[in-house]
Amino acid sequence: MNELTALDFGPDFCWGVSTAAYQIEGAPQADGKGPSIWDRFTHSKGKIYQNQNGDRACEFYYKYADDLQLLSSLGIKNFRFSLSWPRILPEGLIKTNEAGIDFYNRVIDSCLELDIEPWITLYHWDLPQALQARGGWTNREILNWFEVYVMLCVRKFGDRVRYWMILNEPMVFTGAGYFLGVHAPGLKGLKNFLPAIHHATLCQGIGGQMVRSELSSAIIGSTFSCSYLESASEREKDLLATSRLDALLNRLFLEPALGLGYPIKDLPVLSRLENYLQQSDEQRMIFDFDFVGIQNYTREIVKYNFWVPYIKADLVKAAEREVPVSAMGWEVYPESIYHMLKKYNQYNIKSLIITENGLALNDEPSSQSVKDERRIEYLEQVLAQVLRAQKEDVPVDGYFYWTFIDNFEWAEGYYPRFGLVYNQHLEQRRMVKQSGLWWQTFLQQTATPKGPFVQ
Ligand code: BGC
């Protein structure tokens, strides 16, 4: 096989890296920032691996200028980061924190000076704790709170930022945070999950509409977690379990935005969402996104399990399947990205962008380098799968690697390392991994790496 080059993807294909505020910024109380649900959750005992927290993370709040220089030196031209709502509105509403706004102004301006396109995610899971005290995503009031926040962000940053993503992975923050209780705010059960789903779906649509109304030229997307699902067997029970899980993991948040409503037929428990539906909600959930962000890391094998409430489906653990696994315990299966691109293409979406994909390893630095050949191999294989989809006419316009620098990986703390750059967390020293250097060489071939849509 000929070696893959960035140009194979076309001159407008957009190459970047993704990050999120809580996972990199640190500085949880600096300059007037208010607490988020993640500040609270990580400081409750027993929630996070070894009781770690994001208090320092990568100290990006202090080191952003050097980090962006480093990013630029690797030839990365698109930087996806999220805004911390409580850094901007410490209590979630009303009182703005000018120092927080200034921080993001500096990040954006530094990007532009370095010829890096900033891509903003409005919500990557760090809800202001003050709003959680009022029910957070379970309270319908969040529609108003979110409007206030979005409006402020587009007014402050919209003069320089073209690319906006409304939510990051609503399935994960509602499922893990409001049903399983393993992510912040640690709530459980359908009584929390269902309203959280509905309000997040509404905010996704409303957020899109608001950005559009304020910034007519903005390029607007939202990002969706997805898993390539295979049934453990051809037995009808396993096949039905797979389609229930598909409705939950891959369709629940996207289909309402496309005007298809919730996938109730394949997952009947979702009919209970009707209890939360108000007049004209179906309309408000719809938004014509310029692009859909796909975030895929693995494949899952699904089997029927009577004992799992509502969904009666279970995953066969990767460890039991004798397949290669990442430091997250996820199967390393590069082909899954191809299948997800093909799947989402069936909806006739204008543009698909892989806004996250990556491989976590337990990288160990030697004196001068971090030898992560497995990550390079993974990247080559994933990109070949992206190209395969593109050649079959899937409109895939970009790939963002997760993530730039080893960071705070939510409930797993610091042990899974996804970065192209190694972070020595104690001393906050950065070291570009072999994969970072590989990426740099790969990107050198891009002629106009500015991304699609831009003239
Ligand atoms: C999230 C990231 C996370 C990554 C790896 C995605 O679910 O958006 O914040 O770090 O996956 O787990």
Side-chain angles (χ1 to χ4, degrees), residues 346-381:
Q346 290 167 9
Y347 292 102
N348 284 325
I349 289 163
K350 297 177 219 171
S351 169
L352 296 168
I353 294 191
I354 296 153
T355 39
E356 281 185 30
N357 164 261
L359 179 65
L361 298 171
N362 301 111
D363 297 308
E364 298 270 359
S366 61
S367 58
Q368 275 321 306
S369 70
V370 180
K371 296 204 167 76
D372 58 343
E373 288 88 357
R374 266 188 85 195
R375 184 172 287 109
I376 297 175
E377 201 183 307
Y378 177 76
L379 267 165
E380 285 173 336
Q381 291 173 356

Coordinates of all heavy atoms in Angstrom, one line a residue, residues 346-381:
Q346 N -26.1 8.0 5.9 CA -27.5 7.6 5.5 C -28.5 8.7 5.8 O -29.6 8.7 5.3 CB -27.9 6.3 6.2 CG -27.1 5.2 5.6 CD -27.3 3.9 6.5 OE1 -28.2 3.9 7.4 NE2 -26.5 2.9 6.2
Y347 N -28.2 9.6 6.7 CA -29.1 10.7 7.0 C -29.0 11.9 6.1 O -29.6 12.9 6.3 CB -28.8 11.3 8.4 CG -29.1 10.3 9.6 CD1 -28.0 9.6 10.2 CD2 -30.4 10.1 10.0 CE1 -28.3 8.7 11.2 CE2 -30.6 9.3 11.1 CZ -29.6 8.6 11.7 OH -29.9 7.7 12.7
N348 N -28.1 11.8 5.1 CA -27.9 12.9 4.1 C -27.4 14.2 4.8 O -27.9 15.2 4.5 CB -29.2 13.2 3.3 CG -29.4 12.1 2.3 OD1 -28.4 11.7 1.7 ND2 -30.6 11.8 2.1
I349 N -26.5 14.0 5.7 CA -25.9 15.2 6.4 C -25.0 15.9 5.5 O -24.2 15.2 4.7 CB -25.3 14.7 7.7 CG1 -26.4 14.3 8.7 CG2 -24.4 15.8 8.3 CD1 -25.9 13.5 9.8
K350 N -25.0 17.2 5.5 CA -24.2 18.0 4.5 C -22.7 17.7 4.7 O -21.9 17.5 3.8 CB -24.3 19.5 4.8 CG -25.6 20.1 4.6 CD -25.6 21.6 4.9 CE -26.8 21.9 5.6 NZ -26.9 23.2 6.2
S351 N -22.3 17.7 6.0 CA -20.9 17.6 6.2 C -20.6 16.9 7.5 O -21.3 17.2 8.5 CB -20.2 19.0 6.3 OG -18.9 18.9 6.8
L352 N -19.8 15.9 7.5 CA -19.4 15.1 8.7 C -18.0 15.5 9.1 O -17.1 15.5 8.2 CB -19.5 13.6 8.5 CG -20.9 13.1 8.2 CD1 -20.8 11.7 7.7 CD2 -21.8 13.2 9.4
I353 N -17.8 15.8 10.3 CA -16.4 16.0 10.8 C -16.1 15.1 12.0 O -16.9 15.0 12.9 CB -16.2 17.5 11.2 CG1 -16.4 18.4 9.9 CG2 -14.8 17.8 11.8 CD1 -16.0 19.8 10.0
I354 N -15.0 14.5 11.9 CA -14.6 13.7 13.1 C -14.0 14.6 14.1 O -12.9 15.1 13.9 CB -13.6 12.6 12.7 CG1 -14.4 11.6 11.7 CG2 -13.1 11.8 13.9 CD1 -13.4 10.9 10.8
T355 N -14.8 15.0 15.1 CA -14.4 16.0 16.0 C -13.6 15.4 17.2 O -13.0 16.1 18.0 CB -15.6 16.9 16.5 OG1 -16.7 16.0 16.7 CG2 -15.9 17.9 15.5
E356 N -13.6 14.1 17.3 CA -12.8 13.4 18.3 C -12.5 11.9 17.8 O -13.5 11.3 17.4 CB -13.4 13.3 19.6 CG -13.3 14.5 20.5 CD -13.9 14.3 21.9 OE1 -13.8 13.2 22.4 OE2 -14.4 15.3 22.4
N357 N -11.3 11.5 18.0 CA -11.0 10.1 17.8 C -9.5 10.0 18.3 O -8.7 10.9 18.1 CB -11.0 9.6 16.4 CG -10.3 8.3 16.1 OD1 -9.2 8.3 15.6 ND2 -10.9 7.2 16.5
G358 N -9.2 8.9 19.0 CA -7.8 8.8 19.5 C -7.6 7.5 20.2 O -8.5 6.7 20.3
L359 N -6.4 7.4 20.7 CA -6.0 6.1 21.4 C -5.3 6.5 22.7 O -4.3 7.2 22.7 CB -5.0 5.3 20.5 CG -4.5 4.0 21.1 CD1 -5.7 3.0 21.2 CD2 -3.4 3.4 20.2
A360 N -5.8 5.9 23.8 CA -5.2 6.1 25.1 C -4.2 4.9 25.3 O -4.5 3.8 25.2 CB -6.3 6.0 26.2
L361 N -3.0 5.3 25.7 CA -2.0 4.3 26.1 C -1.4 4.7 27.5 O -1.6 5.8 27.9 CB -0.9 4.3 25.0 CG -1.3 4.0 23.6 CD1 -0.1 4.2 22.6 CD2 -1.7 2.5 23.5
N362 N -0.7 3.8 28.0 CA 0.0 4.1 29.3 C 1.5 4.5 28.9 O 2.4 3.9 29.2 CB 0.1 2.9 30.2 CG -1.3 2.4 30.6 OD1 -1.7 1.3 30.2 ND2 -2.0 3.2 31.3
D363 N 1.6 5.6 28.2 CA 2.9 6.0 27.6 C 3.9 6.3 28.7 O 3.6 6.8 29.8 CB 2.7 7.4 26.9 CG 1.8 7.2 25.7 OD1 2.0 6.3 24.8 OD2 0.9 8.1 25.5
E364 N 5.1 5.8 28.5 CA 6.2 6.0 29.4 C 7.3 6.8 28.7 O 7.7 6.4 27.6 CB 6.8 4.7 29.8 CG 5.9 3.7 30.5 CD 6.0 3.9 32.0 OE1 6.8 4.7 32.4 OE2 5.2 3.1 32.7
P365 N 7.7 7.9 29.3 CA 8.8 8.6 28.6 C 10.2 8.0 28.8 O 10.4 7.5 29.9 CB 8.7 10.0 29.2 CG 8.2 9.8 30.6 CD 7.3 8.5 30.5
S366 N 11.0 8.0 27.8 CA 12.4 7.7 28.1 C 13.1 9.1 28.2 O 12.4 10.1 28.1 CB 13.0 6.8 27.0 OG 12.9 7.5 25.8
S367 N 14.4 9.1 28.2 CA 15.0 10.4 28.5 C 14.6 11.5 27.5 O 14.2 12.6 27.9 CB 16.6 10.3 28.5 OG 17.0 9.8 27.2
Q368 N 14.6 11.2 26.2 CA 14.3 12.3 25.2 C 13.1 12.1 24.4 O 12.7 13.0 23.6 CB 15.5 12.5 24.3 CG 16.6 13.4 24.8 CD 16.1 14.6 25.6 OE1 15.3 15.4 25.1 NE2 16.6 14.8 26.8
S369 N 12.4 11.0 24.6 CA 11.2 10.8 23.7 C 10.2 9.9 24.4 O 10.4 9.2 25.4 CB 11.6 10.2 22.4 OG 12.0 8.9 22.5
V370 N 9.0 9.9 23.8 CA 8.0 9.0 24.2 C 7.7 8.1 22.9 O 7.2 8.6 21.9 CB 6.7 9.7 24.6 CG1 5.6 8.7 25.1 CG2 7.0 10.7 25.8
K371 N 8.0 6.9 23.1 CA 7.9 6.0 21.9 C 6.5 5.4 21.9 O 6.2 4.4 22.5 CB 8.9 4.9 21.9 CG 10.4 5.5 21.8 CD 11.3 4.4 21.3 CE 12.6 5.0 20.8 NZ 13.5 5.3 22.0
D372 N 5.6 6.0 21.1 CA 4.2 5.5 21.1 C 3.9 5.0 19.6 O 2.9 5.5 19.0 CB 3.3 6.6 21.6 CG 3.3 7.8 20.8 OD1 4.3 8.1 20.0 OD2 2.4 8.6 20.8
E373 N 4.7 4.0 19.2 CA 4.4 3.5 17.8 C 3.0 3.0 17.6 O 2.4 3.1 16.6 CB 5.4 2.3 17.5 CG 6.8 2.7 17.3 CD 7.6 2.7 18.6 OE1 7.0 2.5 19.6 OE2 8.8 3.0 18.5
R374 N 2.5 2.4 18.7 CA 1.1 1.9 18.6 C 0.1 3.0 18.2 O -0.9 2.8 17.5 CB 0.6 1.3 20.0 CG 0.9 -0.2 20.1 CD 0.2 -0.7 21.4 NE -1.2 -1.0 21.2 CZ -2.1 -1.2 22.2 NH1 -1.6 -1.0 23.5 NH2 -3.3 -1.5 22.0
R375 N 0.3 4.2 18.7 CA -0.6 5.3 18.4 C -0.4 5.7 16.9 O -1.4 6.0 16.2 CB -0.3 6.5 19.3 CG -1.3 7.6 19.1 CD -1.1 8.7 20.2 NE -1.7 8.3 21.5 CZ -1.0 8.1 22.6 NH1 0.4 8.1 22.5 NH2 -1.5 7.7 23.7
I376 N 0.9 5.7 16.5 CA 1.1 6.1 15.1 C 0.4 5.0 14.2 O -0.3 5.4 13.2 CB 2.6 6.1 14.8 CG1 3.3 7.2 15.7 CG2 2.9 6.3 13.3 CD1 4.8 7.3 15.6
E377 N 0.6 3.8 14.5 CA 0.0 2.7 13.7 C -1.5 2.9 13.7 O -2.2 2.8 12.7 CB 0.3 1.4 14.4 CG 0.2 0.2 13.5 CD 0.6 -1.0 14.4 OE1 1.6 -1.1 15.0 OE2 -0.3 -1.9 14.4
Y378 N -2.1 3.2 14.9 CA -3.5 3.4 15.0 C -4.0 4.6 14.1 O -5.0 4.5 13.3 CB -3.9 3.7 16.4 CG -5.4 4.0 16.7 CD1 -6.3 3.0 16.6 CD2 -5.8 5.3 16.9 CE1 -7.7 3.2 16.8 CE2 -7.2 5.6 17.0 CZ -8.1 4.5 17.0 OH -9.4 4.8 17.2
L379 N -3.2 5.7 14.2 CA -3.6 6.8 13.4 C -3.6 6.5 11.9 O -4.5 6.9 11.1 CB -2.6 8.0 13.6 CG -3.0 9.0 14.7 CD1 -1.8 9.8 15.1 CD2 -4.1 9.9 14.2
E380 N -2.5 5.8 11.5 CA -2.4 5.4 10.0 C -3.6 4.6 9.6 O -4.2 4.8 8.6 CB -1.1 4.7 9.8 CG 0.1 5.6 9.8 CD 1.4 4.8 9.7 OE1 1.4 3.6 10.1 OE2 2.4 5.4 9.2
Q381 N -4.0 3.7 10.5 CA -5.1 2.8 10.2 C -6.5 3.5 10.2 O -7.3 3.3 9.3 CB -5.2 1.6 11.1 CG -4.0 0.7 10.9 CD -3.9 -0.4 12.0 OE1 -4.6 -0.5 12.9 NE2 -2.9 -1.3 11.8

